Amino acid sequence: MTDDPKTLVSTDWLARHLKDPDLRLIDASWYLPDAGRDPKSEYDAAHIPGARFFDIDEISDQRSALPHMAPPPEKFISRMRAMGIGDGHQVVVYDGMGLFSAARVWWLFRLMGKTDVAVLNGGLPKWLSEGHPIEDMPPVMRDRHITVSLQNHLVVDVTQVAHASKLADHEILDARSPGRFSGEEPDPRPGLRAGHIPNSKNVYYKTLLNENGTMKTKAELREVFDAAGVDLKKPVITTCGSGVTAAIIFLALERLGVDRKALYDGSWSEWGKYDDLKVATG
């Protein structure tokens, strides 16, 4: 893998740059409720030296009834300033699964116009397996000025997705498991219908990853999209259960140089809730 400080960096790269004064590390661990894991207490017990904890549920738009929607720019600015993350920093995001929720926070930075941000390939599990250092002390954080420039084209709402679904002029890619996509498995969130957005295609996020939680090579990623019948010349909308694993597809597309792409932030938590929106199964 070629290290790219704008998309994906290796544990070797991070080990070399760990003490760089302009590096800012973020632990963006987040788990589905049924995982039985507490990301903040895991962070408190052990994290990569210097890492700050990014609470995906708190740094969100809490005016919305939907889970962890993208925060307003003002809230993002205030939280990042307090965490000592600002202009001129190289940000590296990781999580406790390998590559899961880190991509969501990477996408949030992109949404806010910050491009010097990468995901740690393989995350904390790979870092630990290689014997790299960890600590349990929170870092000393000093306020840092940060400017943002909202990139509205990187996010779409339910109206835009409904339009794209009806016209079939976009590739709508769903990162959920095949069982949830087909409607054979019930959704883990209560009150949501089973199935998928009409004219969407299933690109299960795990098919983009290796068993050790690292992202597949660019050639292998292309094979996954080809196997799912995806035309990458069309504009792409990524979706999932609540906008977390949709960002893994988004990151894979960025690795492949696909420019026209956006993430459906409401995802199935929104689409599956409203009876006036059509649902496909099978």
Coordinates of all heavy atoms in Angstrom, one line a residue, residues 152-186:
N152 N -20.9 21.2 0.6 CA -22.2 20.7 0.6 C -22.4 19.6 -0.5 O -23.4 18.7 -0.3 CB -23.2 21.8 0.3 CG -23.4 22.8 1.5 OD1 -23.7 22.3 2.6 ND2 -23.2 24.1 1.2
H153 N -21.6 19.5 -1.5 CA -21.8 18.5 -2.5 C -21.4 17.1 -2.0 O -21.6 16.1 -2.7 CB -20.9 18.9 -3.8 CG -19.5 18.9 -3.5 ND1 -18.9 20.0 -2.8 CD2 -18.5 18.1 -3.8 CE1 -17.6 19.7 -2.8 NE2 -17.3 18.6 -3.3
L154 N -20.8 17.0 -0.9 CA -20.4 15.7 -0.3 C -21.4 15.0 0.5 O -21.2 13.9 1.0 CB -19.1 15.8 0.5 CG -17.8 16.4 -0.2 CD1 -16.6 16.4 0.7 CD2 -17.6 15.6 -1.5
V155 N -22.6 15.7 0.7 CA -23.7 15.1 1.5 C -25.0 15.3 0.7 O -25.2 16.3 0.0 CB -23.7 15.7 2.9 CG1 -24.0 17.2 2.8 CG2 -24.7 14.9 3.8
V156 N -25.9 14.3 0.8 CA -27.2 14.4 0.2 C -28.3 14.1 1.2 O -28.0 13.4 2.2 CB -27.4 13.5 -1.0 CG1 -26.6 14.0 -2.2 CG2 -27.0 12.1 -0.7
D157 N -29.5 14.7 1.0 CA -30.6 14.5 1.9 C -31.6 13.5 1.2 O -31.4 13.1 0.1 CB -31.3 15.8 2.3 CG -31.9 16.5 1.1 OD1 -32.1 15.9 0.1 OD2 -32.1 17.8 1.3
V158 N -32.7 13.2 2.0 CA -33.6 12.2 1.5 C -34.3 12.6 0.2 O -34.6 11.7 -0.7 CB -34.7 11.9 2.6 CG1 -35.5 13.1 2.9 CG2 -35.5 10.7 2.3
T159 N -34.6 13.9 0.0 CA -35.2 14.3 -1.3 C -34.3 14.0 -2.5 O -34.7 13.6 -3.5 CB -35.5 15.8 -1.2 OG1 -36.3 16.0 0.0 CG2 -36.3 16.3 -2.4
Q160 N -33.0 14.4 -2.3 CA -32.1 14.1 -3.4 C -31.9 12.6 -3.7 O -31.8 12.2 -4.9 CB -30.7 14.7 -3.0 CG -30.7 16.2 -3.0 CD -29.4 16.8 -2.3 OE1 -29.2 16.6 -1.1 NE2 -28.6 17.4 -3.1
V161 N -31.9 11.8 -2.6 CA -31.8 10.4 -2.8 C -33.0 9.8 -3.5 O -32.9 8.9 -4.4 CB -31.5 9.6 -1.5 CG1 -31.4 8.1 -1.7 CG2 -30.2 10.1 -0.9
A162 N -34.2 10.3 -3.1 CA -35.5 9.8 -3.7 C -35.5 10.1 -5.2 O -35.9 9.3 -6.0 CB -36.7 10.4 -3.0
H163 N -35.0 11.3 -5.5 CA -34.9 11.7 -6.9 C -33.9 10.8 -7.7 O -34.2 10.4 -8.8 CB -34.4 13.2 -6.9 CG -34.6 13.9 -8.2 ND1 -35.9 14.2 -8.8 CD2 -33.7 14.4 -9.2 CE1 -35.7 14.8 -9.9 NE2 -34.4 14.9 -10.2
A164 N -32.8 10.6 -7.1 CA -31.8 9.7 -7.8 C -32.3 8.3 -7.9 O -32.0 7.6 -8.9 CB -30.5 9.7 -7.0
S165 N -33.0 7.8 -6.9 CA -33.6 6.5 -7.0 C -34.6 6.3 -8.1 O -34.6 5.4 -8.9 CB -34.2 6.1 -5.6 OG -35.0 5.0 -5.8
K166 N -35.4 7.4 -8.2 CA -36.5 7.3 -9.3 C -35.9 7.4 -10.7 O -36.3 6.7 -11.6 CB -37.4 8.5 -9.0 CG -38.7 8.5 -9.9 CD -39.6 9.6 -9.4 CE -40.9 9.7 -10.3 NZ -41.8 10.8 -9.9
L167 N -34.9 8.3 -10.9 CA -34.3 8.5 -12.2 C -33.3 7.5 -12.6 O -33.0 7.4 -13.7 CB -33.7 9.9 -12.3 CG -34.7 11.1 -12.2 CD1 -33.9 12.4 -12.2 CD2 -35.7 11.1 -13.3
A168 N -32.8 6.8 -11.5 CA -31.7 5.8 -11.7 C -30.5 6.4 -12.5 O -29.8 5.8 -13.3 CB -32.2 4.6 -12.5
D169 N -30.2 7.7 -12.2 CA -29.1 8.4 -12.8 C -27.8 8.4 -11.9 O -26.8 9.0 -12.3 CB -29.5 9.8 -13.2 CG -29.9 10.7 -12.1 OD1 -30.1 10.1 -11.0 OD2 -30.1 11.9 -12.3
H170 N -27.9 7.8 -10.7 CA -26.8 7.7 -9.9 C -26.6 6.2 -9.5 O -27.5 5.4 -9.6 CB -27.0 8.4 -8.5 CG -26.9 9.9 -8.6 ND1 -27.8 10.7 -9.4 CD2 -26.1 10.8 -8.0 CE1 -27.5 12.0 -9.2 NE2 -26.5 12.1 -8.4
E171 N -25.4 5.9 -9.1 CA -25.2 4.6 -8.4 C -25.4 4.8 -6.9 O -24.6 5.5 -6.3 CB -23.8 4.0 -8.7 CG -23.5 3.6 -10.1 CD -24.2 2.3 -10.5 OE1 -25.2 1.9 -9.9 OE2 -23.7 1.7 -11.5
I172 N -26.4 4.2 -6.4 CA -26.7 4.3 -4.9 C -26.1 3.0 -4.3 O -26.6 1.9 -4.6 CB -28.2 4.4 -4.6 CG1 -28.7 5.7 -5.3 CG2 -28.4 4.5 -3.1 CD1 -30.2 5.8 -5.2
L173 N -25.1 3.1 -3.5 CA -24.4 1.9 -3.0 C -24.6 1.8 -1.5 O -24.3 2.7 -0.7 CB -22.9 2.1 -3.3 CG -22.5 2.3 -4.8 CD1 -21.0 2.4 -4.9 CD2 -23.1 1.3 -5.7
D174 N -25.1 0.7 -1.1 CA -25.5 0.4 0.3 C -24.5 -0.5 1.0 O -24.2 -1.6 0.5 CB -26.9 -0.3 0.3 CG -27.6 -0.4 1.6 OD1 -26.8 -0.6 2.7 OD2 -28.8 -0.3 1.7
A175 N -23.9 0.0 2.1 CA -22.8 -0.7 2.7 C -23.3 -1.8 3.7 O -22.5 -2.5 4.3 CB -21.9 0.3 3.5
R176 N -24.6 -1.9 3.9 CA -25.1 -2.9 4.9 C -24.9 -4.3 4.4 O -24.6 -4.6 3.3 CB -26.6 -2.6 5.2 CG -26.8 -1.3 5.9 CD -28.3 -1.0 6.1 NE -29.0 -1.1 4.8 CZ -30.3 -1.5 4.6 NH1 -31.0 -1.8 5.6 NH2 -30.8 -1.5 3.4
S177 N -25.1 -5.3 5.4 CA -24.9 -6.7 5.1 C -25.9 -7.2 4.0 O -27.0 -6.6 3.9 CB -25.0 -7.5 6.3 OG -26.4 -7.5 6.8
P178 N -25.6 -8.2 3.3 CA -26.5 -8.7 2.3 C -27.9 -9.0 2.8 O -28.9 -8.8 2.2 CB -25.8 -9.9 1.7 CG -24.4 -9.7 1.9 CD -24.3 -8.9 3.2
G179 N -27.9 -9.6 4.1 CA -29.2 -10.0 4.7 C -30.1 -8.8 5.0 O -31.3 -8.8 4.8
R180 N -29.5 -7.7 5.5 CA -30.2 -6.5 5.7 C -30.7 -5.8 4.4 O -31.7 -5.3 4.3 CB -29.4 -5.5 6.6 CG -29.4 -5.9 8.1 CD -28.4 -5.1 8.9 NE -28.9 -3.7 9.0 CZ -28.1 -2.7 9.5 NH1 -26.9 -2.9 9.8 NH2 -28.6 -1.5 9.6
F181 N -29.8 -5.8 3.4 CA -30.1 -5.2 2.1 C -31.3 -5.9 1.5 O -32.2 -5.2 1.0 CB -28.8 -5.3 1.2 CG -29.0 -4.7 -0.1 CD1 -28.9 -3.3 -0.3 CD2 -29.4 -5.5 -1.2 CE1 -29.1 -2.8 -1.6 CE2 -29.5 -4.9 -2.5 CZ -29.4 -3.6 -2.7
S182 N -31.3 -7.2 1.5 CA -32.3 -8.0 0.9 C -33.6 -7.9 1.6 O -34.7 -8.2 1.1 CB -31.9 -9.4 0.7 OG -31.8 -10.1 1.9
G183 N -33.6 -7.6 2.9 CA -34.8 -7.6 3.8 C -35.0 -8.9 4.5 O -36.0 -9.1 5.2
E184 N -34.1 -9.9 4.3 CA -34.2 -11.2 4.9 C -33.9 -11.1 6.4 O -34.5 -11.8 7.2 CB -33.3 -12.2 4.3 CG -33.7 -12.6 2.9 CD -32.6 -13.3 2.1 OE1 -31.9 -14.1 2.7 OE2 -32.5 -13.1 0.9
E185 N -33.1 -10.2 6.8 CA -32.8 -9.9 8.2 C -33.5 -8.7 8.6 O -33.5 -7.7 7.9 CB -31.2 -9.7 8.4 CG -30.4 -11.0 8.2 CD -28.9 -10.6 8.3 OE1 -28.6 -9.5 8.8 OE2 -28.1 -11.4 7.8
P186 N -34.0 -8.7 9.8 CA -34.6 -7.5 10.4 C -33.6 -6.4 10.7 O -32.4 -6.7 10.9 CB -35.3 -7.9 11.6 CG -34.6 -9.1 12.1 CD -34.1 -9.8 10.8

